[in-house]
Amino acid sequence: MTSDEALMLEFQGGSRAAFEELFARYRRPLYGFFGRRLNNPERAEDLVQETFLAVIRAASRYEPRALVRTYLYGIALNLLAAERRKFSTSSTLGQSVTEPKTDGTPEYVLWVRQAMERLDSPDREILMLREYEQLSYSDIAELLRIPVNTVRSRLFRSRLALKSYLESEAKTNRGVRASAWEPHPRRRGMQ
Amino acid sequence: MSTNRHPIEQEELMAYLDGELSADQATEALSHLELCPECQTLAADFRGVSQELLAWEVESPEVGISSELNAALGERLQKRQAAKVTSSRLENRVITSRWVWAGALAIVCVVVGLKLTLTSHNRSEDRSTAYPSMASIEQYLMPDRDAEIALARSAAPEAISSDAKILVLGWRGYETADEGKNGFVCMVERSWMSPFNSADFWNPKVRVPQCFNPAAARSILPLTFKRTEMVLAGLSKAQMIDSIKAGFDNKELPRPEPGAMCYMMSRAGYLNDALGHYVPHLMFYFPLTDKSSWGADLRDSPVTLNPQFRDGPEPITEFVIAVGKWSDGTAAPAM
């Protein structure tokens, strides 16, 4: 399988197929990135397209110093910041462009979202970049322009806080699910 | 948690679980974690939080390339093509005055010839040093889970793989994506399943779809888990070799069961830089066996000895037999 970086260089050299492959690889992860932060499926879809539009426009300037993955999320973070400025909102979740849509959302997903909303905004962003975008500590530090040690300490703090919030939600909703750690239907197995 | 009782901080333990520690630190963390119930609880808490967060999935619509994006893409590629044409015309102008420059070109040819000789020499050196150490973990992961599932299933004909258990590689090792029901296990192996002295051992491009039959899933797959676990923990090759030897000595690792085999019939795999997709084949595993017992590597014999475990710490002999079709039923090139 061709690496993302090799595809990016092929695209730089004029390959449409390379761009289409990158689009196929990242459209879903990027949609998830915007979807979780904006709670607005239409805008999430638009912003995925805008991310790739930025890739096309900046293709001639791309240098393989960073992973394409990190490069794409860097663009996505910039677009997200612009989106928030446009709608004069300061929160990553909850107070986003539109209110979260809860219709049909399973209860345990709402708990996770509510618990996330209780975290400080910078801590939440670090946690999301780690857990959902699976970026390394150094990639997160580079994207958010903070020291790696700060990433680590905030990640630690937010995970402990989240555990506590989820446990308290589980106790409150004991009738629905006995423990925050009880398997839910969508949980993935691990070796 | 007191640092007097624990040689590693809680934050370090978290960093270990995230694969963020150096090899030495990871080894220390792993050693402590195996013995400390308090840290095991904390590790379980961290894993629990990560598992809970997975509940928040975002269903992605089938987003295609929009017309605006398509137009921008067309424009960019057109410009690129125009730049190539311009460059080519300039080149042609230079060539028209070739008689004037004939003498200079002769000199250039000599220089180019020398450079090619040197490049060829350097390439053979690069082959052994292209991947000298482990790349970042994300380079070995596939961002699209569905694509990894499909690639894993492509290892065997659909009649086998559609009911097989499917594993995908995550940050903390292989995870079950589909439980399956026929006892076969399909997954995509990464470069660290190559021989330890292979130039591709850390090649992040390697993707090897395999589908193990039940006997191999019980007795060969644990080797994949073992190596993967050690790689993600940041262990050195020497540490991995020692640990595998110890695993066989203390019977933590199983010997190949009778009948253990696997399918490698995907046309989409990438075995290494030298072989690329290779050819579709089946693999059969045995405790150390002389290759002559299978007539392997003899003239016109369809059986070859796979070097995967040869001279390695795993006491396993692996034979390969090429087959004529890929898993999708299409004809394959001759081996």
Side-chain angles (χ1 to χ4, degrees), chain A residues 36 108-109 111-117 119 124 126-132 155 158-159 162-163 166 177 180-181 184 186-188, chain B residues 45-58 172:
Chain A
R36 288 191 185 88
Y108 54 82
V109 176
W111 291 356
V112 169
R113 278 165 45 168
Q114 283 161 9
M116 292 285 269
E117 284 167 24
L119 296 175
R124 181 169 57 233
I126 291 169
L127 183 66
M128 292 178 84
L129 286 171
R130 176 66 207 174
E131 294 286 355
Y132 295 118
L155 192 57
S158 55
R159 277 172 168 160
L162 200 69
K163 172 182 175 289
L166 287 169
R177 188 158 61 111
W181 313 125
H184 51 65
R186 301 296 290 272
R187 180 178 286 176
R188 296 171 191 160
Chain B
D45 286 347
F46 283 134
R47 289 192 182 108
V49 168
S50 294
Q51 288 284 296
E52 285 293 315
L53 290 178
L54 288 178
W56 188 6
E57 291 180 345
V58 177
R172 296 173 185 83

Side-chain angles (χ1 to χ4, degrees), chain A residues 137-172:
Chain A
Y137 293 3
S138 58
D139 286 340
I140 296 170
E142 191 184 321
L143 287 180
L144 302 181
R145 293 174 191 171
I146 55 177
V148 173
N149 283 343
T150 306
V151 170
R152 193 165 95 162
S153 58
R154 286 187 178 176
L155 192 57
F156 181 75
R157 186 170 65 195
S158 55
R159 277 172 168 160
L160 288 188
L162 200 69
K163 172 182 175 289
S164 159
Y165 298 152
L166 287 169
E167 279 178 345
S168 83
E169 299 238 31
K171 278 179 193 161
T172 312

Side-chain angles (χ1 to χ4, degrees), chain B residues 24-137:
Chain B
D24 289 348
Q25 290 171 317
T27 307
E28 187 184 10
L30 182 61
S31 307
H32 176 67
L33 188 58
E34 283 174 348
L35 302 171
C36 176
E38 196 179 340
C39 290
Q40 286 167 7
T41 303
L42 185 64
D45 286 347
F46 283 134
R47 289 192 182 108
V49 168
S50 294
Q51 288 284 296
E52 285 293 315
L53 290 178
L54 288 178
W56 188 6
E57 291 180 345
V58 177
E59 295 289 334
S60 169
E62 278 305 312
V63 185
I65 294 178
S66 68
S67 54
E68 188 188 1
L69 197 56
N70 204 30
L73 182 60
E75 194 182 335
R76 148 101 193 143
L77 296 177
Q78 228 167 18
K79 276 183 188 168
R80 177 78 202 159
Q81 192 59 31
K84 273 186 186 169
V85 169
T86 307
S87 159
S88 166
R89 280 179 186 158
L90 280 172
E91 214 170 272
N92 285 340
R93 278 182 204 163
V94 173
I95 289 170
T96 50
S97 58
R98 78 178 91 173
W99 291 108
V100 178
W101 293 96
L105 278 173
I107 295 167
V108 168
C109 284
V110 171
V111 172
V112 168
L114 276 172
K115 185 167 171 48
L116 280 175
T117 309
L118 287 171
T119 307
S120 161
H121 175 67
N122 287 342
R123 267 186 199 149
S124 61
E125 282 186 352
D126 284 347
R127 180 78 193 111
S128 60
T129 56
Y131 313 101
S133 57
M134 188 180 177
S136 60
I137 291 178

Side-chain angles (χ1 to χ4, degrees), chain B residues 272-294:
Chain B
N272 55 47
D273 286 350
L275 296 174
H277 301 305
Y278 198 43
V279 294
H281 59 276
L282 308 177
M283 303 205 297
F284 302 86
Y285 305 91
F286 300 89
L288 285 177
T289 307
D290 193 286
K291 67 177 183 178
S292 62
S293 66
W294 270 56

Side-chain angles (χ1 to χ4, degrees), chain A residues 34 47-48 50-52 54 74-84:
Chain A
F34 290 116
L47 288 168
V48 171
E50 286 180 33
T51 304
F52 282 102
I75 294 172
L77 274 170
N78 287 338
L79 287 172
L80 186 71
E83 182 78 0
R84 285 177 181 146

Side-chain angles (χ1 to χ4, degrees), chain B residues 6 41 78 85 98 101 117 126 138 144 224 231 244 303 317 320 323 329 334-335:
Chain B
H6 301 273
T41 303
Q78 228 167 18
V85 169
R98 78 178 91 173
W101 293 96
T117 309
D126 284 347
E138 56 262 59
D144 186 338
T224 307
V231 163
I244 292 168
V303 184
T317 296
V320 173
V323 296
M335 192 172 178

